[in-house]
Amino acid sequence: MRAVSYAQFGGPEVLHVADVPIPEPGPGQVRVRVAASVVHPVDLMIRSGRFPAPLPTGLPYTPGWDVAGTVDAVGPAVEQFTIGDKVIGFSPWLRTTVGAHAEYVVLDAAWLTAAPAGVPATEAATLPTNGLAAAQALDLLAVPAGSTVLVTGAAGQVGGFVLALARAAGLHATGLAGTDDRAFVESLGAAFLSRSDDPAGTFDAVIDLAVIGPSLLGLVRDGGGYVAASPPLRPEPVRNIRTFALEVQPDGSRLGELVELVTSGDLPLRVAGVYPFADAAAAHDRLAQGGVRGGVVIVP
């Protein structure tokens, strides 16, 4: 099969399309013929050699965390999927280095769920990683309906999902974003806060996706909650504030709940661009430019 690959760290030019063996599913696994996947900032960090933690195995790597596609083969002890099912899922790449920027990928069946009906694969692929990140950030906080939540980076892919999920959960969200994103933030039922504004008052919780840092703890009430975008960014707790680091975990059941919200129209999906494998370097360049408001999608 063909897969996007790189055998050394560096700029986007190290990416190429390689011929690699087609993987076979083991017990509890399925093989998915990939229709679409997504490029994330972490893919750029790993490819460039700037990822701050040790990587699990050596080069070469095939990147890719999200998958939308069709079940192609089923391993033993898999009952919930059959060949031909349309599915989406999340590959915990840092644990397995199983990349979805390939024509086929083998994943645990528990990491997959049925794809949203009638949604193109290029859109469906934008849900797993970012949708699970948003849902799990709110799960960590576990604040009741009516609570106030400040979300930084609110117009990004994860931020947009957080605002939509907050509305569905009955939370009062405020989105911190650039002025050009005001209409989008408010369309999701959130109050808008410009990056140039000085936030006033306190919130029951803060989800810091823009990596602003510990200074935001001053906006959290005593005993409130704070979620940092990654483990190294988790601040030391003060004033009984609960602090968490967001580490996205595969969860087919939780992903299925998000699919229901997509189907009902409560969770919008956004695509910024679609690139074939051969243009993977251009996809990485586009994401590196910043200001992306939607998934940068890779297709075979």
Side-chain angles (χ1 to χ4, degrees):
M1 68 173 184
R2 296 180 307 127
V4 176
S5 180
Y6 56 96
Q8 63 186 44
F9 297 118
E13 68 277 0
V14 302
L15 296 167
H16 63 279
V17 180
D19 290 323
V20 299
I22 297 177
E24 296 296 332
Q29 296 182 320
V30 301
R31 185 172 67 206
V32 179
R33 184 178 181 90
V34 177
S37 187
V38 173
V39 180
H40 293 283
V42 68
D43 294 313
L44 277 60
M45 291 181 66
I46 295 171
R47 185 218 69 225
S48 67
R50 295 184 292 108
F51 192 73
L55 297 172
T57 59
L59 295 163
Y61 290 143
T62 290
W65 304 65
D66 306 271
V67 62
T70 305
V71 173
D72 170 78
V74 177
V78 173
E79 299 180 353
Q80 64 268 52
F81 299 112
T82 59
I83 293 173
D85 286 346
K86 303 291 186 182
V87 295
I88 60 172
F90 168 75
S91 176
W93 193 95
L94 287 174
R95 186 193 312 171
T96 66
T97 63
V98 172
H101 295 173
E103 290 182 311
Y104 297 90
V105 64
V106 167
L107 299 174
D108 287 3
W111 300 345
L112 302 169
T113 195
V119 175
T122 49
E123 295 181 20
T126 66
L127 178 63
T129 300
N130 292 326
L132 285 172
Q136 291 171 10
L138 289 169
D139 290 345
L140 288 171
L141 292 172
V143 291
S147 298
T148 57
V149 180
L150 173 66
V151 182
T152 73
Q157 280 286 278
V158 179
F161 285 140
V162 170
L163 296 184
L165 293 175
R167 177 175 61 181
L171 304 176
H172 300 298
T174 296
L176 181 67
T179 54
D180 290 345
D181 296 308
R182 180 172 194 144
F184 171 72
V185 168
E186 293 180 341
S187 75
L188 294 175
F192 173 77
L193 186 63
S194 171
R195 288 196 296 257
S196 62
D197 293 337
D198 184 16
T202 58
F203 298 85
D204 294 314
V206 169
I207 298 177
D208 183 18
L209 303 173
V211 197
I212 294 174
S215 64
L216 290 174
L217 287 174
L219 301 179
V220 182
R221 66 165 174 80
D222 293 356
Y226 178 100
V227 176
S230 68
L233 305 176
R234 177 182 178 180
E236 292 297 322
V238 295
R239 296 184 286 109
N240 295 318
I241 295 172
R242 298 168 296 122
T243 64
F244 306 95
L246 181 58
E247 298 183 75
V248 188
Q249 301 298 324
D251 187 339
S253 177
R254 193 75 171 95
L255 189 55
E257 296 173 4
L258 300 180
V259 167
E260 293 179 6
L261 292 173
V262 170
T263 303
S264 67
D266 294 316
L267 198 59
L269 304 177
R270 297 177 289 164
V271 175
V274 179
Y275 298 81
F277 281 1
D279 292 338
H284 278 229
D285 277 333
R286 175 67 186 91
L287 189 60
Q289 291 169 12
V292 175
R293 295 296 180 258
V296 175
V297 180
I298 293 281
V299 297

